[in-house]
């Protein structure tokens, strides 16, 4: 009888391990699908003459992120001592969990595959790098961007990720960031801001006497599709960050996260659309799309503890903020073709602050410490790398190449050749 009980307990443990691993992998696949969302969103918001290059960047950065995180990023982020600032040097991703370690039970027993954890984490680093792509679009050299991607995904992101998710000093300080409003989104936006400041605006974007010239994207249906793909992928982004769902409590938590994620995005769309209507006297589709993403970024720091209504309001505030931020950056002549710095940076900060509204374990001081540390590291390190690349190889295409479009000069092909004027 005792043997039967032990055998049954072992079977249940293995079943739960398999279920949590499968859930983790599916959520990781959803986050990977966000790469398609970023590609479509950015391709829709740039001009036709720059479409092939932006697509190339999105495919290539994903491949670079996967390789660099495999070689060194994952080890930097998760194999260092608790409470530290500088991670331990290391490479590759370690051994898989053994059957014995899983069946041993206890608090230290793994409840999902180590490889599923790597897969879930690697698609996050690719997301952070995708944020940079849209902000520097239409005037950055392709190979300079890809060189930066190597450092961003291999070093810059893993270091600040270690500070919280790897048990570093921000985790010890009580900083909370459930799924990455700061670690992923604000960090990506900070890296993008550093690049944009060194790169300068697109030709013709800003005129004399404070004039701001709109440069419309080539394909708003594509941008809308990209936004909806990102919305879908975000369920894996936030839901997977619960890490397991093989018992009643965790299953309920995952369900709440899905509801809150969806509610925040909806709140962001509505608030951004109304704000744009009041400001521009028109229903601006691009602001509505960025409102959805803003709401998603805003809820990512804490998608579990709010009620659905609170999540909607958090998303709505993000939707309002993103409209004001995009307009303000334009007035400051900071040219961001897709609004990435506003969506992921400003609303990432809001999301981290909003944690204190619903999570009793949070503190404003710890959240401000996290915001300051992540931004300072990501911006400062990125500014240094961008500066070195600018000195060595240059980061901006020539004025002639920008005028003719980077597709031909960087990639040798057009995205829409049949529409080229004769």
């Amino acid at each position: 009888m005792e043997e039967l009980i032990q055998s049954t307990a072992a079977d249940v443990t293995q079943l739960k391990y398999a279920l949590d691993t499968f859930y983790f992998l599916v959520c990781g696949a959803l986050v990977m699908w966000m790469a398609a969302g970023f590609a479509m969103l950015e391709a829709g918001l740039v001009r036709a003459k720059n479409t092939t290059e932006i697509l190339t960047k999105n495919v290539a950065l994903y491949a670079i992120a996967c390789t660099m995180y495999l070689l060194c990023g994952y080890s930097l982020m998760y194999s260092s001592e608790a409470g530290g600032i500088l991670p331990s040097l290391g490479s590759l991703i370690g051994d898989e969990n053994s059957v014995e370690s899983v069946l041993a039970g206890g608090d230290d027993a793994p409840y999902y595959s180590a490889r599923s954890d790597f897969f879930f984490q690697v698609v996050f680093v690719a997301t952070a790098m995708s944020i940079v792509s849209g902000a520097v679009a239409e005037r950055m050299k392709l190979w300079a961007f890809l060189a930066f991607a190597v450092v961003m995904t291999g070093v810059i992101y893993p270091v600040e990720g270690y500070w919280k998710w790897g048990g570093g000093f921000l985790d010890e300080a009580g900083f909370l960031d459930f799924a990455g409003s700061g670690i992923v989104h604000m960090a990506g936006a900070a890296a993008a801001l550093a690049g944009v400041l060194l790169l300068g605006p697109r030709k013709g974007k800003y005129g004399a006497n404070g004039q701001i010239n709109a440069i419309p994207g080539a394909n708003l249906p594509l941008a809308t599709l990209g936004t909806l793909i990102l919305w879908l992928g975000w369920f894996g982004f936030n839901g997977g960050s619960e890490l397991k769902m093989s018992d009643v409590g965790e299953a309920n938590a995952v369900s709440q996260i899905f509801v809150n994620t969806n509610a925040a995005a909806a709140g962001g769309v509505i608030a951004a659309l109304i704000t744009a209507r009041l400001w521009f006297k028109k229903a601006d589709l691009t602001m509505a799309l960025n409102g959805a993403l803003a709401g998603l970024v805003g809820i990512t720091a804490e998608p579990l503890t709010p009620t659905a209504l609170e999540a909607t309001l958090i998303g709505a505030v993000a939707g309002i903020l993103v409209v004001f931020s995009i307009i303000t950056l334009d007035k400051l002549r900071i040219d961001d073709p897709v609004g990435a710095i506003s969506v992921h940076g400003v609303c990432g900060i809001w999301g981290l602050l909003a944690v204190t509204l619903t999570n009793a374990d949070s503190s404003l001081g710890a959240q401000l410490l996290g915001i300051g540390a992540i931004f300072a590291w990501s911006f400062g390190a990125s500014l240094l790398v961008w500066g070195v690349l600018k000195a060595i190889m240059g980061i901006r295409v020539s004025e002639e190449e920008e005028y003719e479009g980077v597709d031909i000069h960087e990639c040798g092909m057009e995205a829409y050749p049949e529409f080229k004027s004769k």
Side-chain angles (χ1 to χ4, degrees), residues 54 56-74 76 122 124-134 136 140-159 187-188 191-192 195 378 381-387 389 393 395:
I54 201 80
T56 304
K57 280 172 29 178
N58 274 276
V59 173
L61 76 85
Y62 181 78
I64 289 170
C66 292
T67 303
M68 291 306 301
Y69 203 64
L70 170 68
L71 293 176
C72 61
Y74 185 73
L76 284 174
V122 77
F124 269 56
V125 66
T127 298
M129 190 60 215
S130 295
I131 295 165
V132 183
S133 173
V136 300
M140 174 167 275
K141 290 182 177 180
L142 173 63
W143 289 100
F145 173 83
L146 297 181
F148 177 79
V150 170
V151 183
M152 177 70 182
T153 58
V155 179
I156 297 176
Y157 172 87
V159 169
S378 299
S382 298
L383 192 66
L384 176 63
V385 175
W386 287 125
L389 290 172
M393 61 189 299
I395 60 175

Side-chain angles (χ1 to χ4, degrees), residues 45-375:
L45 293 180
V46 301
R47 288 167 288 183
K49 62 184 180 180
N50 301 312
T51 306
T52 301
E53 195 249 11
I54 201 80
L55 296 173
T56 304
K57 280 172 29 178
N58 274 276
V59 173
L61 76 85
Y62 181 78
I64 289 170
C66 292
T67 303
M68 291 306 301
Y69 203 64
L70 170 68
L71 293 176
C72 61
Y74 185 73
S75 181
L76 284 174
M77 195 162 164
Y78 288 106
S79 64
S80 305
E81 293 184 5
I85 296 176
L86 296 176
S88 303
L89 297 178
S91 61
L92 301 178
I93 59 176
D95 298 327
E96 184 53 272
N97 300 323
S98 66
V99 176
E100 291 75 19
S101 66
V102 174
L103 296 181
D107 294 336
D108 295 330
Y111 48 87
Y112 51 75
S113 163
R115 292 295 182 270
S116 69
D117 181 68
F118 168 77
F119 177 69
F120 189 71
Q121 300 301 334
V122 77
V123 292
F124 269 56
V125 66
T127 298
M129 190 60 215
S130 295
I131 295 165
V132 183
S133 173
V136 300
E138 301 201 293
R139 73 269 200 210
M140 174 167 275
K141 290 182 177 180
L142 173 63
W143 289 100
F145 173 83
L146 297 181
F148 177 79
V150 170
V151 183
M152 177 70 182
T153 58
V155 179
I156 297 176
Y157 172 87
V159 169
E160 53 93 14
Y162 154 65
W163 291 346
K164 167 57 185 176
W165 291 342
F169 81 98
L170 288 180
D171 190 49
E172 294 276 321
F175 172 67
L176 300 180
D177 189 3
F178 187 91
S181 286
I183 295 168
V184 178
H185 296 282
M186 188 184 68
L193 177 61
V196 167
L197 291 177
L198 286 182
L199 194 59
R202 292 167 290 175
K203 296 295 182 183
K205 175 63 178 178
Y206 304 114
N209 302 319
Q211 181 182 358
I212 301 171
N213 301 312
I215 302 179
N219 195 325
L220 289 183
L222 207 58
T224 304
L225 175 62
T227 301
L228 292 172
I229 291 174
L230 288 169
W231 193 328
L232 171 64
W234 231 287
F235 296 122
F237 200 95
N238 288 352
S241 295
E242 182 64 17
L243 306 183
K244 61 182 298 188
M245 65 167 298
S246 59
D247 58 55
V248 173
E250 295 296 341
N252 288 343
V254 168
S255 299
Q256 184 67 49
I257 290 168
F258 271 56
V259 169
N260 286 349
T261 299
N262 192 62
V269 171
I270 295 168
L273 196 59
I274 293 173
T275 304
R277 176 67 177 84
L278 295 174
W279 196 302
F280 308 123
K281 310 303 179 185
K282 301 289 183 182
D284 190 309
L285 173 62
T286 61
M287 290 298 182
L289 298 179
N290 277 327
L293 301 177
L296 290 163
V297 171
I299 200 62
T300 292
E302 184 46 88
L304 177 58
T305 58
T307 66
L309 180 58
E310 288 170 338
T312 304
L313 294 175
I314 290 170
V317 172
I320 295 170
L321 284 174
V322 78
V323 176
F324 279 86
S325 178
I326 289 172
I327 294 169
T328 301
L329 289 183
D330 258 344
K331 290 182 177 179
L332 295 173
R333 295 182 170 242
I334 297 174
D335 185 17
D336 178 358
V338 304
I341 297 170
S342 298
V343 168
H344 302 276
V346 172
C347 296
I349 292 172
W350 158 242
L352 292 171
L353 295 175
V355 172
T356 61
L357 301 177
T358 64
N359 191 322
D361 295 329
S362 64
S363 73
L364 181 59
Q367 295 307 102
L368 291 173
L369 174 64
I371 290 169
I374 293 170
F375 182 85

